[in-house]
């Protein structure tokens, strides 16, 4: 690679703030979104617009306050009693956030079938709509169990050097007696 190419790439990175590949991928994403929007709006433009506005309102007026309050309560729970009002929550709160987020996304995608509102699902797919609630609950439980296991292992590994130090101090005291 020549020096002028490196200089041009560095100048581009300074001006744009990222690599040319980032710009290319961003433009490709916008092109794909534009294509999907054109295809989507070609059918029922008013219905899609109503759905989009309704989804935005549902998110902003119902879901955002609900998950913000839930997250705030979880942060308070994981701060403990010794935390000051402005303290940062412990990273362990993420072990609740991540499985809850994944479970919530799964619910949002599959809620008609989870709540048995699938309508003509069986007629369209020739598959049974039964069992979605049980599967979603099992997946949610598995996500929280896996997250708890990761949290326990991380806590154990973090406390391991401290336990070794305490043991060494105890052995030093015993040998000094």
């Amino acid at each position: 690679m020549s020096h002028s190419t490196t200089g041009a790439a560095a100048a581009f990175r300074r001006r744009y703030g990222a690599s040319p590949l980032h710009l290319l991928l961003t433009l490709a994403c916008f092109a794909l979104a534009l294509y999907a929007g054109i295809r989507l709006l070609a059918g029922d433009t008013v219905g899609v617009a109503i759905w989009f506005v309704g989804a935005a309102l549902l998110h902003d007026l119902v879901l955002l306050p609900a998950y913000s309050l839930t997250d705030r309560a979880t942060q308070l729970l994981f701060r403990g009693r010794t935390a000051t009002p402005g303290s940062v929550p412990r990273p362990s709160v993420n072990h609740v956030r991540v499985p809850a987020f994944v479970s919530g996304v799964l619910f949002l995608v599959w809620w008609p079938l989870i709540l048995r509102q699938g309508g003509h699902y069986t007629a369209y797919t020739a598959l049974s709509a039964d069992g979605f609630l049980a599967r979603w609950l099992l997946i949610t439980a598995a996500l929280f169990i896996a997250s708890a296991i990761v949290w326990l292992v991380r806590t154990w590994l973090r406390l391991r050097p401290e336990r070794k130090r305490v043991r060494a101090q105890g052995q030093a005291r015993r040998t000094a007696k």
Side-chain angles (χ1 to χ4, degrees):
M1 194 181 311
S2 71
H3 179 59
S4 63
T5 308
T6 306
F12 180 84
R13 185 179 293 274
R14 272 193 313 276
R15 290 186 71 118
Y16 177 66
S19 72
L21 180 61
H22 180 270
L23 177 61
L24 179 66
L25 289 174
T26 301
L27 292 174
C29 288
F30 281 130
L32 181 63
L34 179 65
Y35 170 75
I38 290 170
R39 295 285 305 218
L40 185 64
L41 292 174
D44 181 16
T45 307
V46 174
V48 170
I50 290 172
W51 179 88
F52 188 76
V53 169
L57 289 174
L58 174 69
H59 175 267
D60 292 350
L61 298 177
V62 177
L63 296 177
L64 180 65
Y67 61 71
S68 294
L69 286 172
T70 304
D71 186 59
R72 182 72 60 189
T74 305
Q75 288 179 29
L76 290 173
L77 178 71
F78 278 89
R79 272 197 187 126
R81 293 184 181 164
T82 60
T84 59
S87 67
V88 177
R90 296 179 186 157
S92 56
V93 74
N94 292 329
H95 291 278
V96 174
R97 282 179 180 159
V98 172
F101 173 77
V102 173
S103 177
V105 168
L106 288 173
F107 183 80
L108 284 175
V109 170
W110 298 102
W111 70 268
L113 295 169
I114 291 170
L115 299 178
R116 298 176 190 220
Q117 304 292 323
H120 300 290
Y121 177 79
T122 303
Y124 291 144
T125 64
L127 299 172
S128 173
D130 295 336
F132 277 88
L133 175 62
R135 287 185 210 127
W136 177 73
L137 290 173
L138 285 172
I139 290 170
T140 299
L143 288 168
F144 277 97
I145 289 169
S147 184
I149 290 169
V150 169
W151 177 73
L152 286 171
V153 168
R154 287 180 72 191
T155 301
W156 182 76
L157 290 174
R158 188 182 72 235
L159 295 177
R160 207 164 110 193
E162 185 177 316
R163 285 193 306 264
K164 284 183 180 179
R165 184 182 52 80
V166 169
R167 267 191 243 126
Q169 286 176 347
Q171 288 175 349
R173 281 189 213 129
R174 278 180 264 160
T175 57
K177 289 182 182 180

